[in-house]
Amino acid sequence: PNYALILVNTSDATLTRSWVDELRLEVAAIPGARIDVRPFMTGPPVDNPVEFRFIGRDLDVMRSVGREMLDEFEQTPGTVMPFDDWGEMVNTIDLSVDTERAYLAGVTSRNISEELDLLYGGGRLTTLREGAHLVDVVLQLTEQERKSVESLSEASIRTAAGTVPLTTVATIDAGYEYGAIGRRNRERCLTVGSQAAEGFLANNITTDIGTRLESMVEQLPLGYRLEVGGEAEESADAQKSVSTAFMIAVVLIFVVLLVQYNSLLKPMVVLTAFPLALIGAMFGLFLSGWPLGFMPLLGVVALGGTVINNAIVLIDFIESTVAKGVGLRDAVAQAGLVRMKPILLTTLTTVGGLLPLALFGGPMWAGMSWAMIGGLSLSTVLTLLVIPTVYVLFAERFGMKVAS
């Protein structure tokens, strides 16, 4: 197949979505081509936000199930321009040579191949010179004749004894075959995918379709399976990578705090601040309407250092006050009053720096910024209440050493 890419710049980003929907309706009526109209995406490329891969052995079974999968896509609200990567069956012409007749006629398979290649592919007979230019003279059938099966049945094969009609030494059969057979990891794979309509989340559509497709595949013999692709697969891979980085960060922070405080309980008190930031980040994404994607997850990981820093500052003030002879509960009260202003100012300046990205940063930065803004705002307020409470609890109930 032939491929082309057309990139169109719109004068206003708010017009892009409506123009994409309008253009999809117009190109859907063009036969013989699959035209995919979509807004320009940022981040890791995802060809089909909603995608399922059907893997098996028998081509006919896969083709039949592929049509049923495509029907499920078309009947599901929110899917746009569903398709499968095998496409439609294509016309074929099967030429079977009768070796006995060909031998008696003095015709070889090579003779037939060369003759048909000359008629349909063209062969250079000679070269003409026009001034300083050389022009090849090519012999082949006309375009109309090359598209006709009758021209093939009327072809003759040249031999040393003369010409032999092709139909006397070969049988010509017209039929259909698969235009493309996809493979993935050396297994036959049929992929069905679609775009997600405005107002629909690809993951929700995937869950909706996946339930029905799983029940369909369960009825097949062993050797056939269904895999989820698209945004669901990309999100899972991204979350796995971020989760690994997050666990490494937590372990390193715990080790540093363990060395700093020489205590197992105090690092646990400090790390209590992180769940507070996570709650705030989810709340910020909920209010702003952005999904929990790869960039917001990075923002959540980045939040860890800031909120833990606030907890360390608060605990350090408590311990330095207790070291001066002040009671634990009085020291906690003083820490909340004295350190509240610096912590709030630090949070406000950080939130102020993130607001431009949240409002004008576009799809790549807005989700991450709102996650960090929500996490910082809520965790700052809760840190001033929860961290002192947990510190007192660990000191009075579990015997945690307060100060050296």
Side-chain angles (χ1 to χ4, degrees):
N2 299 315
Y3 297 89
L5 172 66
I6 301 176
L7 183 63
V8 179
N9 294 319
T10 56
S11 57
D12 190 344
T14 58
L15 302 175
T16 302
R17 173 56 64 178
S18 60
W19 190 74
V20 165
D21 295 337
E22 179 182 347
L23 192 58
R24 280 172 176 167
L25 295 176
E26 294 183 6
V27 301
I30 299 176
R34 182 170 69 87
I35 303 176
D36 186 6
V37 183
R38 68 179 73 180
F40 186 77
M41 304 296 293
T42 57
V46 179
D47 290 337
N48 307 303
V50 184
E51 181 180 285
F52 285 90
R53 295 187 292 267
F54 179 53
I55 299 171
R57 299 185 303 270
D58 188 270
L59 293 177
D60 294 333
V61 173
M62 295 186 67
R63 177 73 273 178
S64 176
V65 175
R67 291 194 183 98
E68 296 180 17
M69 293 172 62
L70 195 58
D71 290 339
E72 291 290 345
F73 267 71
E74 292 174 346
Q75 296 170 11
T76 302
T79 58
V80 178
M81 303 177 68
F83 75 100
D84 69 83
D85 63 346
W86 283 23
E88 299 295 333
M89 303 286 282
V90 297
N91 298 323
T92 60
I93 297 177
D94 184 22
L95 186 66
S96 301
V97 179
D98 189 324
T99 54
E100 293 184 4
R101 289 187 178 184
Y103 176 76
L104 293 175
V107 177
T108 64
S109 297
R110 180 175 180 179
N111 296 144
I112 298 175
S113 176
E114 290 176 348
E115 191 71 23
L116 294 182
D117 182 59
L118 172 66
L119 295 177
Y120 288 88
R124 185 171 64 88
L125 297 180
T126 184
T127 302
L128 294 179
R129 180 183 296 276
E130 289 187 358
H133 301 282
L134 297 178
V135 181
D136 291 335
V137 178
V138 178
L139 174 66
Q140 68 176 165
L141 296 175
T142 63
E143 182 178 357
Q144 184 176 359
E145 291 173 329
R146 292 197 301 270
K147 294 180 179 180
S148 173
V149 181
E150 296 178 356
S151 300
L152 183 61
S153 61
E154 295 173 357
S156 297
I157 308 301
R158 292 173 296 174
T159 66
T163 59
V164 177
L166 177 62
T167 53
T168 61
V169 296
T171 303
I172 303 172
D173 295 317
Y176 297 92
E177 70 176 17
Y178 298 97
I181 300 177
R183 289 185 177 272
R184 182 181 175 87
N185 297 328
R186 295 183 294 179
E187 296 180 296
R188 288 173 177 170
C189 175
L190 187 148
T191 301
V192 181
S194 77
Q195 301 296 309
E198 180 72 13
F200 290 84
L201 291 178
N203 286 342
N204 293 343
I205 301 175
T206 300
T207 303
D208 186 14
I209 300 178
T211 304
R212 301 195 297 272
L213 296 185
E214 287 287 354
S215 61
M216 182 191 306
V217 175
E218 287 175 357
Q219 301 174 6
L220 298 174
L222 293 177
Y224 297 93
R225 69 179 188 275
L226 192 69
E227 293 183 354
V228 180
E231 283 190 6
E233 183 180 42
E234 292 292 336
S235 298
D237 293 341
Q239 290 177 11
K240 183 178 179 181
S241 301
V242 174
S243 299
T244 302
F246 172 70
M247 293 305 298
I248 294 175
V250 170
V251 171
L252 291 177
I253 291 173
F254 186 84
V255 171
V256 171
L257 294 175
L258 185 64
V259 173
Q260 177 181 349
Y261 290 115
N262 195 24
S263 169
L264 284 174
L265 295 178
K266 288 182 182 178
M268 295 175 63
V269 176
V270 174
L271 291 176
T272 306
F274 190 78
L276 307 179
L278 186 60
I279 296 172
M282 298 301 104
F283 189 65
L285 291 175
F286 174 76
L287 293 180
S288 61
W290 287 98
L292 181 62
F294 180 74
M295 294 301 289
L297 280 174
L298 286 182
V300 171
V301 174
L303 270 177
T306 304
V307 298
I308 287 175
N309 178 70
N310 291 339
I312 291 174
V313 169
L314 199 60
I315 291 175
D316 182 69
F317 188 88
I318 293 173
E319 294 195 339
S320 62
T321 305
V322 171
K324 295 177 182 178
V326 180
L328 175 60
R329 300 206 171 201
D330 292 336
V332 168
Q334 291 184 26
L337 293 173
V338 175
R339 302 307 305 172
M340 180 173 64
K341 184 177 179 180
I343 291 176
L344 288 178
L345 287 176
T346 302
T347 301
L348 287 175
T349 54
T350 307
V351 169
L354 290 171
L355 273 177
L357 278 179
L359 297 175
F360 311 108
M364 178 172 288
W365 303 106
M368 183 188 73
S369 301
W370 283 115
M372 295 186 69
I373 289 173
L376 283 172
S377 302
L378 187 61
S379 66
T380 299
V381 176
L382 294 180
T383 296
L384 295 172
L385 299 174
V386 175
I387 296 300
T389 303
V390 175
Y391 189 88
V392 172
L393 179 65
F394 274 53
E396 293 182 350
R397 294 288 181 89
F398 301 107
M400 182 182 70
K401 186 177 180 181
V402 176
S404 57

